[in-house]
Amino acid sequence: MATVAIRNCKFIPALTEGTDLVEGDLLFRDGNIAEIAACGADFGTVDQEIDAHGMTAMPGLIDAHLHLSSTRDLIAEQCFVDDSMRPLEALEFAQVMLGFGYTTVRDCGEDKVFSVVSVRNAINRGMFAGPRILTCGLTLCPTEAGCTPDKDFGFLTPYNVDGSDSMRYFARRNFAKGVDFLKLYGSGSMMASGSNPGVPIMDDDEIAEAVKIAKQKGSYCAIHSHGGDAIYQAVSLGVATVEHASFIDDRSLDILANKDDHGIVPTLAITADLVEHTDPNTDYGRQVIAKVTKLIEKIKAHLGHAYERGDVMIGWGTDVTIGSYRREPGAEFRIRKEVYGWDNLEILKQATINSAKLCRIADETGSIKVGKCADVILVDGNPVEDLSIMYAGGAKHVFRAGVQYK
Ligand SMILES: [Zn+2]
Protein backbone atom coordinates (compact mmCIF):
# COMPACT_ATOMS: atom_id res chain seq x y z
CA MET A 1 0.00 0.00 0.00
CA ALA A 2 1.95 3.04 -1.27
CA THR A 3 1.28 6.21 0.72
CA VAL A 4 2.50 9.77 0.22
CA ALA A 5 1.89 12.72 2.54
CA ILE A 6 2.08 16.27 1.16
CA ARG A 7 2.36 18.61 4.13
CA ASN A 8 1.51 22.30 4.59
CA CYS A 9 0.42 23.13 1.04
CA LYS A 10 -2.01 25.84 -0.01
CA PHE A 11 -5.18 24.88 -1.91
CA ILE A 12 -7.08 26.72 -4.62
CA PRO A 13 -10.67 26.49 -3.27
CA ALA A 14 -12.25 26.44 -6.75
CA LEU A 15 -10.07 23.44 -7.66
CA THR A 16 -10.30 21.59 -4.34
CA GLU A 17 -13.59 19.83 -3.63
CA GLY A 18 -15.14 18.56 -0.42
CA THR A 19 -13.24 20.81 2.00
CA ASP A 20 -13.22 24.42 3.17
CA LEU A 21 -9.52 24.33 4.00
CA VAL A 22 -7.31 26.83 2.19
CA GLU A 23 -4.18 25.03 3.34
CA GLY A 24 -3.46 21.64 4.79
CA ASP A 25 -2.08 18.16 4.20
CA LEU A 26 -2.86 15.63 1.47
CA LEU A 27 -2.59 11.87 1.70
CA PHE A 28 -2.23 9.76 -1.43
CA ARG A 29 -2.87 6.03 -1.12
CA ASP A 30 -2.53 3.51 -3.94
CA GLY A 31 -2.66 6.18 -6.62
CA ASN A 32 -5.67 8.06 -5.32
CA ILE A 33 -6.27 11.08 -3.11
CA ALA A 34 -7.23 9.46 0.20
CA GLU A 35 -7.47 12.43 2.59
CA ILE A 36 -7.50 16.23 2.62
CA ALA A 37 -6.83 17.32 6.19
CA ALA A 38 -5.71 20.23 8.35
CA CYS A 39 -1.95 20.79 8.70
CA GLY A 40 -0.32 18.28 11.02
CA ALA A 41 -2.83 15.50 10.34
CA ASP A 42 -1.96 12.08 11.72
CA PHE A 43 -1.70 9.85 8.67
CA GLY A 44 0.18 7.11 10.54
CA THR A 45 3.32 5.75 8.90
CA VAL A 46 3.73 6.88 5.27
CA ASP A 47 6.16 5.77 2.55
CA GLN A 48 7.03 9.29 1.42
CA GLU A 49 6.54 12.75 2.89
CA ILE A 50 7.06 16.18 1.29
CA ASP A 51 6.96 19.50 3.10
CA ALA A 52 5.22 21.80 0.61
CA HIS A 53 5.31 24.95 2.72
CA GLY A 54 5.06 27.98 0.40
CA MET A 55 3.67 25.86 -2.43
CA THR A 56 0.19 25.43 -3.87
CA ALA A 57 -1.23 21.99 -4.61
CA MET A 58 -3.20 21.92 -7.87
CA PRO A 59 -4.78 19.21 -9.98
CA GLY A 60 -2.45 18.14 -12.79
CA LEU A 61 -2.74 20.16 -16.01
CA ILE A 62 -4.54 18.86 -19.10
CA ASP A 63 -3.51 19.74 -22.66
CA ALA A 64 -6.63 18.76 -24.57
CA HIS A 65 -5.17 19.44 -28.02
CA LEU A 66 -1.73 18.42 -29.19
CA HIS A 67 -0.12 15.87 -31.51
CA LEU A 68 2.42 13.63 -29.83
CA SER A 69 3.78 11.86 -32.90
CA SER A 70 3.78 14.46 -35.65
CA THR A 71 6.69 16.89 -35.80
CA ARG A 72 9.54 17.94 -33.56
CA ASP A 73 9.23 21.56 -34.58
CA LEU A 74 7.66 23.87 -37.10
CA ILE A 75 10.83 25.46 -38.31
CA ALA A 76 12.05 23.02 -40.92
CA GLU A 77 10.57 20.22 -42.95
CA GLN A 78 13.37 17.96 -41.71
CA CYS A 79 11.56 18.03 -38.40
CA PHE A 80 8.94 15.69 -39.81
CA VAL A 81 9.43 12.37 -38.12
CA ASP A 82 10.26 9.05 -39.74
CA ASP A 83 7.49 6.48 -39.25
CA SER A 84 9.75 4.01 -37.45
CA MET A 85 10.60 6.64 -34.82
CA ARG A 86 7.06 7.84 -34.14
CA PRO A 87 6.27 5.73 -31.03
CA LEU A 88 9.54 6.78 -29.42
CA GLU A 89 9.05 10.42 -30.36
CA ALA A 90 5.52 10.28 -28.93
CA LEU A 91 6.79 8.72 -25.69
CA GLU A 92 9.46 11.39 -25.32
CA PHE A 93 6.94 14.19 -25.90
CA ALA A 94 4.49 12.62 -23.44
CA GLN A 95 7.17 12.44 -20.74
CA VAL A 96 8.28 16.02 -21.40
CA MET A 97 4.64 17.07 -20.93
CA LEU A 98 4.43 15.20 -17.63
CA GLY A 99 7.55 17.02 -16.46
CA PHE A 100 5.81 20.34 -17.18
CA GLY A 101 2.88 19.25 -14.97
CA TYR A 102 0.54 17.88 -17.66
CA THR A 103 -0.76 14.70 -16.09
CA THR A 104 -3.24 14.28 -18.98
CA VAL A 105 -2.80 14.94 -22.70
CA ARG A 106 -5.39 14.47 -25.42
CA ASP A 107 -3.87 13.69 -28.80
CA CYS A 108 -5.98 15.25 -31.56
CA GLY A 109 -4.58 13.43 -34.59
CA GLU A 110 -1.86 10.88 -34.86
CA ASP A 111 -0.10 8.82 -37.51
CA LYS A 112 -0.97 5.80 -39.57
CA VAL A 113 0.88 3.33 -37.34
CA PHE A 114 -1.17 4.49 -34.33
CA SER A 115 1.93 5.31 -32.29
CA VAL A 116 -0.02 7.20 -29.68
CA VAL A 117 -2.35 4.27 -29.04
CA SER A 118 0.77 2.13 -28.47
CA VAL A 119 2.36 4.65 -26.13
CA ARG A 120 -0.91 5.06 -24.19
CA ASN A 121 -1.18 1.28 -23.81
CA ALA A 122 2.47 0.93 -22.76
CA ILE A 123 2.09 3.66 -20.12
CA ASN A 124 -1.17 2.15 -18.86
CA ARG A 125 0.55 -1.22 -18.62
CA GLY A 126 3.27 0.32 -16.44
CA MET A 127 6.09 -0.14 -18.97
CA PHE A 128 6.95 3.58 -18.89
CA ALA A 129 6.15 6.62 -16.76
CA GLY A 130 3.89 9.06 -18.56
CA PRO A 131 0.74 11.12 -18.46
CA ARG A 132 -2.78 9.80 -18.93
CA ILE A 133 -3.22 9.81 -22.71
CA LEU A 134 -6.44 10.08 -24.69
CA THR A 135 -6.15 9.72 -28.45
CA CYS A 136 -8.42 9.99 -31.48
CA GLY A 137 -6.20 7.95 -33.82
CA LEU A 138 -6.28 9.17 -37.40
CA THR A 139 -7.89 12.52 -38.13
CA LEU A 140 -11.00 11.95 -40.24
CA CYS A 141 -10.37 14.51 -42.97
CA PRO A 142 -11.97 14.88 -46.40
CA THR A 143 -9.93 15.55 -49.52
CA GLU A 144 -8.63 19.10 -49.05
CA ALA A 145 -5.69 21.19 -50.22
CA GLY A 146 -2.62 20.47 -48.12
CA CYS A 147 -4.29 17.55 -46.33
CA THR A 148 -3.65 14.84 -48.89
CA PRO A 149 -1.08 12.19 -48.02
CA ASP A 150 1.69 13.71 -50.12
CA LYS A 151 1.43 17.32 -48.94
CA ASP A 152 2.36 19.42 -45.88
CA PHE A 153 0.75 17.75 -42.88
CA GLY A 154 -0.52 14.88 -44.99
CA PHE A 155 1.22 12.33 -42.77
CA LEU A 156 -1.59 13.10 -40.31
CA THR A 157 -4.15 12.35 -43.03
CA PRO A 158 -2.77 9.29 -44.85
CA TYR A 159 -6.35 8.50 -45.93
CA ASN A 160 -8.99 11.03 -46.92
CA VAL A 161 -12.55 10.35 -45.85
CA ASP A 162 -15.18 11.30 -48.43
CA GLY A 163 -18.83 10.33 -48.06
CA SER A 164 -20.73 8.75 -45.19
CA ASP A 165 -19.78 5.17 -46.15
CA SER A 166 -16.11 6.08 -46.03
CA MET A 167 -16.68 7.86 -42.72
CA ARG A 168 -18.40 4.81 -41.26
CA TYR A 169 -15.44 2.61 -42.23
CA PHE A 170 -12.68 4.89 -40.95
CA ALA A 171 -14.54 5.81 -37.74
CA ARG A 172 -15.08 2.12 -36.94
CA ARG A 173 -11.50 1.36 -37.90
CA ASN A 174 -10.24 4.00 -35.45
CA PHE A 175 -12.32 2.50 -32.63
CA ALA A 176 -11.15 -0.98 -33.57
CA LYS A 177 -7.58 0.27 -33.15
CA GLY A 178 -8.49 1.42 -29.63
CA VAL A 179 -9.03 5.18 -29.83
CA ASP A 180 -10.83 7.16 -27.12
CA PHE A 181 -12.80 9.60 -29.31
CA LEU A 182 -13.05 10.77 -32.94
CA LYS A 183 -11.55 13.90 -34.46
CA LEU A 184 -13.04 15.37 -37.62
CA TYR A 185 -11.62 18.04 -39.88
CA GLY A 186 -14.50 20.40 -40.53
CA SER A 187 -12.96 23.53 -42.00
CA GLY A 188 -9.91 24.59 -43.95
CA SER A 189 -6.60 24.94 -42.17
CA MET A 190 -4.14 27.66 -41.15
CA MET A 191 -1.16 25.41 -41.80
CA ALA A 192 -2.11 23.51 -44.96
CA SER A 193 -1.08 25.23 -48.19
CA GLY A 194 -3.99 26.41 -50.34
CA SER A 195 -6.61 25.73 -47.66
CA ASN A 196 -9.00 28.45 -46.45
CA PRO A 197 -9.61 28.16 -42.69
CA GLY A 198 -12.88 30.09 -42.93
CA VAL A 199 -14.91 27.64 -44.99
CA PRO A 200 -16.60 24.27 -44.23
CA ILE A 201 -15.07 21.24 -45.95
CA MET A 202 -17.32 18.40 -44.75
CA ASP A 203 -20.92 17.53 -45.62
CA ASP A 204 -23.67 17.05 -43.06
CA ASP A 205 -24.01 13.33 -43.74
CA GLU A 206 -20.29 12.76 -43.09
CA ILE A 207 -20.35 14.57 -39.74
CA ALA A 208 -23.65 12.95 -38.70
CA GLU A 209 -22.23 9.50 -39.47
CA ALA A 210 -19.19 10.11 -37.26
CA VAL A 211 -21.35 11.43 -34.41
CA LYS A 212 -23.54 8.32 -34.69
CA ILE A 213 -20.60 5.89 -34.59
CA ALA A 214 -18.99 7.73 -31.67
CA LYS A 215 -22.25 7.58 -29.72
CA GLN A 216 -22.52 3.83 -30.37
CA LYS A 217 -19.10 3.47 -28.77
CA GLY A 218 -20.01 5.63 -25.75
CA SER A 219 -17.72 8.35 -27.02
CA TYR A 220 -17.93 11.72 -28.78
CA CYS A 221 -16.58 13.75 -31.69
CA ALA A 222 -14.13 16.63 -31.66
CA ILE A 223 -13.75 18.75 -34.78
CA HIS A 224 -11.06 20.99 -36.19
CA SER A 225 -13.03 24.08 -37.17
CA HIS A 226 -12.21 27.75 -37.64
CA GLY A 227 -15.03 29.38 -39.61
CA GLY A 228 -18.38 30.36 -38.07
CA ASP A 229 -20.50 28.40 -40.58
CA ALA A 230 -18.35 25.28 -40.25
CA ILE A 231 -18.57 25.43 -36.45
CA TYR A 232 -22.34 25.95 -36.53
CA GLN A 233 -22.73 23.00 -38.90
CA ALA A 234 -20.74 20.76 -36.54
CA VAL A 235 -22.35 21.68 -33.23
CA SER A 236 -25.83 21.51 -34.81
CA LEU A 237 -25.05 17.89 -35.70
CA GLY A 238 -23.91 17.02 -32.18
CA VAL A 239 -20.13 17.40 -32.28
CA ALA A 240 -19.01 17.92 -28.66
CA THR A 241 -15.72 19.82 -28.76
CA VAL A 242 -14.75 22.47 -31.28
CA GLU A 243 -10.98 22.66 -31.67
CA HIS A 244 -9.48 26.13 -32.33
CA ALA A 245 -13.01 27.63 -32.69
CA SER A 246 -11.39 30.75 -34.16
CA PHE A 247 -14.46 32.54 -35.56
CA ILE A 248 -17.17 31.03 -33.38
CA ASP A 249 -20.36 33.12 -33.10
CA ASP A 250 -23.53 33.22 -31.02
CA ARG A 251 -25.40 30.70 -33.18
CA SER A 252 -22.96 28.00 -32.03
CA LEU A 253 -22.34 29.40 -28.55
CA ASP A 254 -26.11 29.21 -27.89
CA ILE A 255 -26.06 25.48 -28.71
CA LEU A 256 -22.97 24.81 -26.59
CA ALA A 257 -24.12 26.93 -23.63
CA ASN A 258 -24.55 25.39 -20.18
CA LYS A 259 -23.28 21.94 -21.14
CA ASP A 260 -20.41 20.45 -19.16
CA ASP A 261 -19.22 18.03 -21.82
CA HIS A 262 -19.64 20.31 -24.84
CA GLY A 263 -17.48 23.35 -25.51
CA ILE A 264 -14.48 24.82 -27.24
CA VAL A 265 -10.76 24.13 -27.07
CA PRO A 266 -8.87 27.24 -28.18
CA THR A 267 -5.23 26.66 -29.18
CA LEU A 268 -3.53 30.03 -28.89
CA ALA A 269 0.09 28.93 -28.50
CA ILE A 270 0.15 27.58 -32.05
CA THR A 271 -1.00 30.90 -33.48
CA ALA A 272 1.87 32.75 -31.82
CA ASP A 273 4.23 29.94 -32.72
CA LEU A 274 3.34 29.99 -36.41
CA VAL A 275 4.05 33.71 -36.63
CA GLU A 276 7.21 33.67 -34.52
CA HIS A 277 8.84 30.38 -35.50
CA THR A 278 7.84 29.32 -38.99
CA ASP A 279 10.77 29.88 -41.34
CA PRO A 280 9.98 33.11 -43.27
CA ASN A 281 12.57 32.18 -45.89
CA THR A 282 10.42 29.44 -47.42
CA ASP A 283 7.31 29.77 -49.57
CA TYR A 284 5.44 27.67 -47.02
CA GLY A 285 6.56 29.87 -44.13
CA ARG A 286 5.67 33.11 -45.91
CA GLN A 287 2.20 31.83 -46.78
CA VAL A 288 1.45 30.59 -43.25
CA ILE A 289 2.75 33.74 -41.55
CA ALA A 290 0.67 35.98 -43.86
CA LYS A 291 -2.46 33.89 -43.36
CA VAL A 292 -2.21 33.79 -39.55
CA THR A 293 -1.11 37.40 -39.03
CA LYS A 294 -4.16 38.62 -40.95
CA LEU A 295 -6.50 36.64 -38.68
CA ILE A 296 -5.04 37.11 -35.19
CA GLU A 297 -7.15 40.12 -34.12
CA LYS A 298 -10.31 38.57 -35.53
CA ILE A 299 -9.71 35.33 -33.60
CA LYS A 300 -9.18 37.34 -30.42
CA ALA A 301 -12.50 39.15 -30.85
CA HIS A 302 -14.47 35.93 -31.40
CA LEU A 303 -12.87 33.94 -28.57
CA GLY A 304 -13.05 37.00 -26.31
CA HIS A 305 -16.80 37.11 -26.91
CA ALA A 306 -17.14 33.41 -26.05
CA TYR A 307 -15.25 34.06 -22.80
CA GLU A 308 -17.29 37.14 -21.89
CA ARG A 309 -20.58 35.25 -22.25
CA GLY A 310 -19.42 32.99 -19.40
CA ASP A 311 -21.83 30.16 -20.24
CA VAL A 312 -19.70 28.00 -22.56
CA MET A 313 -17.09 25.51 -21.36
CA ILE A 314 -13.64 26.68 -22.48
CA GLY A 315 -10.88 24.07 -22.39
CA TRP A 316 -7.14 24.06 -22.84
CA GLY A 317 -5.22 23.26 -26.01
CA THR A 318 -1.90 24.31 -27.48
CA ASP A 319 -1.41 22.35 -30.73
CA VAL A 320 2.34 22.96 -30.46
CA THR A 321 5.32 20.65 -30.87
CA ILE A 322 7.88 19.36 -28.39
CA GLY A 323 10.26 22.02 -29.73
CA SER A 324 7.82 24.79 -28.90
CA TYR A 325 7.06 23.36 -25.47
CA ARG A 326 10.75 23.33 -24.66
CA ARG A 327 11.18 26.93 -25.89
CA GLU A 328 8.26 28.25 -23.85
CA PRO A 329 6.36 25.67 -21.77
CA GLY A 330 3.80 28.19 -20.51
CA ALA A 331 3.04 30.05 -23.76
CA GLU A 332 -0.66 29.19 -23.56
CA PHE A 333 -0.84 30.66 -20.01
CA ARG A 334 1.02 33.79 -21.08
CA ILE A 335 -1.16 34.45 -24.11
CA ARG A 336 -4.51 33.82 -22.37
CA LYS A 337 -3.40 36.23 -19.63
CA GLU A 338 -1.30 38.90 -21.35
CA VAL A 339 -2.88 39.01 -24.82
CA TYR A 340 -6.48 38.01 -24.07
CA GLY A 341 -6.65 39.52 -20.56
CA TRP A 342 -8.53 36.59 -19.05
CA ASP A 343 -8.84 36.08 -15.29
CA ASN A 344 -6.15 34.03 -13.53
CA LEU A 345 -8.54 31.60 -11.86
CA GLU A 346 -10.57 31.12 -15.05
CA ILE A 347 -7.36 30.30 -16.92
CA LEU A 348 -6.36 27.75 -14.26
CA LYS A 349 -9.83 26.17 -14.47
CA GLN A 350 -9.54 25.96 -18.27
CA ALA A 351 -6.27 24.05 -17.88
CA THR A 352 -7.71 21.62 -15.31
CA ILE A 353 -11.37 21.05 -14.41
CA ASN A 354 -12.90 22.49 -17.60
CA SER A 355 -10.72 20.30 -19.78
CA ALA A 356 -11.42 17.27 -17.58
CA LYS A 357 -15.15 17.82 -18.17
CA LEU A 358 -14.71 18.27 -21.92
CA CYS A 359 -12.52 15.14 -22.09
CA ARG A 360 -15.13 13.32 -19.97
CA ILE A 361 -12.65 12.33 -17.26
CA ALA A 362 -13.81 14.69 -14.49
CA ASP A 363 -14.67 11.74 -12.25
CA GLU A 364 -10.97 10.79 -12.31
CA THR A 365 -9.08 14.08 -12.41
CA GLY A 366 -9.34 17.85 -12.92
CA SER A 367 -9.69 18.79 -9.23
CA ILE A 368 -8.27 17.76 -5.88
CA LYS A 369 -10.96 15.60 -4.30
CA VAL A 370 -10.93 12.51 -2.12
CA GLY A 371 -11.35 9.47 -4.35
CA LYS A 372 -9.97 11.07 -7.51
CA CYS A 373 -6.68 9.97 -9.00
CA ALA A 374 -3.64 11.56 -7.31
CA ASP A 375 -2.67 13.57 -10.40
CA VAL A 376 -1.38 16.53 -8.45
CA ILE A 377 1.25 19.20 -9.01
CA LEU A 378 2.95 21.54 -6.57
CA VAL A 379 3.86 25.04 -7.72
CA ASP A 380 5.84 27.71 -5.89
CA GLY A 381 3.71 30.56 -4.57
CA ASN A 382 0.08 31.08 -5.56
CA PRO A 383 -0.79 31.08 -9.28
CA VAL A 384 -4.22 32.62 -8.61
CA GLU A 385 -2.44 35.75 -7.40
CA ASP A 386 0.47 35.58 -9.86
CA LEU A 387 -0.14 33.54 -13.00
CA SER A 388 3.36 34.21 -14.32
CA ILE A 389 4.45 31.32 -12.08
CA MET A 390 3.01 29.12 -14.84
CA TYR A 391 4.74 30.83 -17.77
CA ALA A 392 8.03 28.97 -17.46
CA GLY A 393 6.43 25.59 -16.73
CA GLY A 394 5.06 26.05 -13.24
CA ALA A 395 5.24 22.59 -11.75
CA LYS A 396 7.98 22.13 -9.16
CA HIS A 397 6.78 18.64 -8.24
CA VAL A 398 4.56 16.36 -10.31
CA PHE A 399 2.63 13.34 -9.08
CA ARG A 400 0.96 11.05 -11.61
CA ALA A 401 -1.42 8.59 -9.94
CA GLY A 402 0.36 9.16 -6.65
CA VAL A 403 3.85 8.45 -7.99
CA GLN A 404 6.34 11.30 -8.00
CA TYR A 405 7.69 12.00 -11.50
CA LYS A 406 9.41 15.28 -10.68
ZN1 LIG B 1 -4.13 20.11 -34.01
Side-chain angles (χ1 to χ4, degrees), residues 63-72 89-90 93-94 105-111 116 136-137 139 153 155-156 183 185 191 224 243-244 267 270 318-322 325:
D63 188 335
H65 189 120
L66 48 54
H67 304 270
L68 290 173
S69 67
S70 59
T71 61
R72 299 189 64 74
E89 301 268 358
F93 194 177
V105 297
R106 187 178 71 146
D107 191 287
C108 279
E110 57 159 303
D111 56 88
V116 181
C136 67
T139 300
F153 290 82
F155 59 87
L156 288 171
K183 155 89 179 300
Y185 218 79
M191 297 167 80
H224 158 107
E243 311 300 307
H244 319 301
T267 56
I270 183 71
T318 61
D319 215 7
V320 298
T321 61
I322 189 172
Y325 255 108

Side-chain angles (χ1 to χ4, degrees), residues 287-354:
Q287 188 193 80
V288 167
I289 291 168
K291 190 153 55 170
V292 176
T293 307
K294 204 172 74 188
L295 298 174
I296 276 183
E297 285 305 313
K298 200 175 159 197
I299 297 171
K300 190 178 160 193
H302 282 267
L303 294 177
H305 175 65
Y307 174 84
E308 290 301 331
R309 278 177 57 123
D311 60 358
V312 170
M313 194 60 74
I314 299 180
W316 194 259
T318 61
D319 215 7
V320 298
T321 61
I322 189 172
S324 303
Y325 255 108
R326 284 188 164 133
R327 265 195 299 274
E328 189 186 0
E332 193 70 31
F333 284 97
R334 177 180 59 80
I335 296 167
R336 291 190 191 210
K337 173 70 183 171
E338 308 289 338
V339 181
Y340 279 61
W342 292 353
D343 173 72
N344 291 357
L345 179 58
E346 283 306 313
I347 292 173
L348 292 165
K349 283 163 70 178
Q350 291 165 8
T352 55
I353 188 67
N354 289 13

Side-chain angles (χ1 to χ4, degrees), residues 346-388:
E346 283 306 313
I347 292 173
L348 292 165
K349 283 163 70 178
Q350 291 165 8
T352 55
I353 188 67
N354 289 13
S355 290
K357 287 175 178 171
L358 290 175
C359 295
R360 305 185 181 197
I361 50 171
D363 54 342
E364 297 167 50
T365 189
S367 65
I368 293 182
K369 183 182 180 187
V370 170
K372 281 196 182 184
C373 186
D375 287 354
V376 173
I377 62 174
L378 297 172
V379 300
D380 268 327
N382 183 346
V384 179
E385 288 162 10
D386 178 9
L387 195 74
S388 69

